[in-house]
Amino acid sequence: AQSVAQPEDQVNVAEGNPLTVKCTYSVSGNPYLFWYVQYPNRGLQFLLKYITGDNLVKGSYGFEAEFNKSQTSFHLKKPSALVSDSALYFCAVRADTGGFKTIFGAGTRLFVKA
Amino acid sequence: DGGITQSPKYLFRKEGQNVTLSCEQNLNHDAMYWYRQDPGQGLRLIYYSQIVNDFQKGDIAEGYSVSREKKESFPLTVTSAQKNPTAFYLCASSTARRGMQETQYFGPGTRLLVL
């Protein structure tokens, strides 16, 4: 069965510091991995995805994520956090053996302090 | 939130009442989805549709119904059989050309509350 784990409910960082939001996954078959961000009372906004190729994926707003097949991880990173990055972040996975479903993690709330 | 609109933004349901949430997209996407979001949980799939006049149950379809008569529209009805409907409902769409690789784009959501 497919699953996604975001081990941290909340991540706190100071503005200007690097940030990491962790994600691990379990699928049968090739994984397609996504990161979304959600601001209060809004829908999800797409940040980036890994399909194939280069393990380092660059996305919107300066975010990037590294696909690590051996550790089955897809951590989201940003070199220098902004207060405006404070939001709820979701990791999601699809697999080519999983039908049309996307499995979402429970979300990690990021607080960036000025 | 792209070219996906959801209405209303807030919806109140009385006991025993069916209510319908609207989802419209102008992105020419073939696939559409309905998710339910509860605090502290990820999104859970209610129904999805890959093509007009066809839809499939997701993980939590009980107490919900959908229709897909037009490519642009995918309304969700929350029936009286859904005993715990209070949640944030999100509609999404994607192209279907490359299947699993396609990004889903989300609407702004509807918050359903029970009176």
Side-chain angles (χ1 to χ4, degrees), chain B residues 37-86:
Chain B
Q37 183 180 14
D38 294 282
Q41 299 190 38
L43 279 65
R44 292 183 290 168
L45 183 65
I46 304 173
Y47 270 98
Y48 65 98
S49 168
Q50 295 176 244
I51 196 168
V52 174
N53 292 322
D54 185 57
F55 48 83
Q56 310 295 329
K57 292 183 178 180
D59 298 317
I60 56 165
E62 186 174 350
Y64 300 97
S65 66
V66 293
S67 63
R68 186 85 187 277
E69 297 176 1
K70 298 187 299 182
K71 187 175 185 178
E72 302 79 17
S73 178
F74 192 41
L76 173 74
T77 296
V78 184
T79 75
S80 57
Q82 172 50 242
K83 298 306 179 186
N84 184 24
T86 297

Side-chain angles (χ1 to χ4, degrees), chain A residues 100, chain B residues 27-31 94-102:
Chain A
F100 230 77
Chain B
L27 301 170
N28 199 32
H29 285 169
D30 293 302
S94 69
T95 65
R97 284 193 305 271
R98 289 174 295 176
M100 299 297 99
Q101 299 182 23
E102 296 297 344

Side-chain angles (χ1 to χ4, degrees), chain A residues 32 34 36 38 41-46 49 51 88 90 94-107, chain B residues 1 31 33 35 37 40-43 45 48 50 59 88 90 96 99-108 111:
Chain A
Y32 304 113
F34 303 81
Y36 290 87
Q38 185 180 35
N41 295 310
R42 301 291 300 276
L44 275 65
Q45 294 179 30
F46 169 72
K49 68 180 178 182
I51 301 301
L88 186 58
F90 289 98
R94 286 176 145 179
D96 54 13
T97 57
F100 230 77
K101 292 183 181 180
T102 302
I103 305 300
F104 286 83
Chain B
D1 298 325
Y33 314 80
Y35 291 93
Q37 183 180 14
Q41 299 190 38
L43 279 65
L45 183 65
Y48 65 98
Q50 295 176 244
D59 298 317
F88 192 50
L90 289 162
M100 299 297 99
Q101 299 182 23
E102 296 297 344
T103 300
Q104 293 177 70
Y105 294 92
F106 285 80
R111 188 165 298 280

Side-chain angles (χ1 to χ4, degrees), chain A residues 5 19 23 29-30 38-39 63 69 73 77 80 86 93 99 106:
Chain A
L19 69 87
C23 172
N30 294 316
Q38 185 180 35
Y39 297 97
F63 284 93
K69 188 173 182 178
S73 67
K77 300 182 180 184
S80 178
S86 298
V93 66

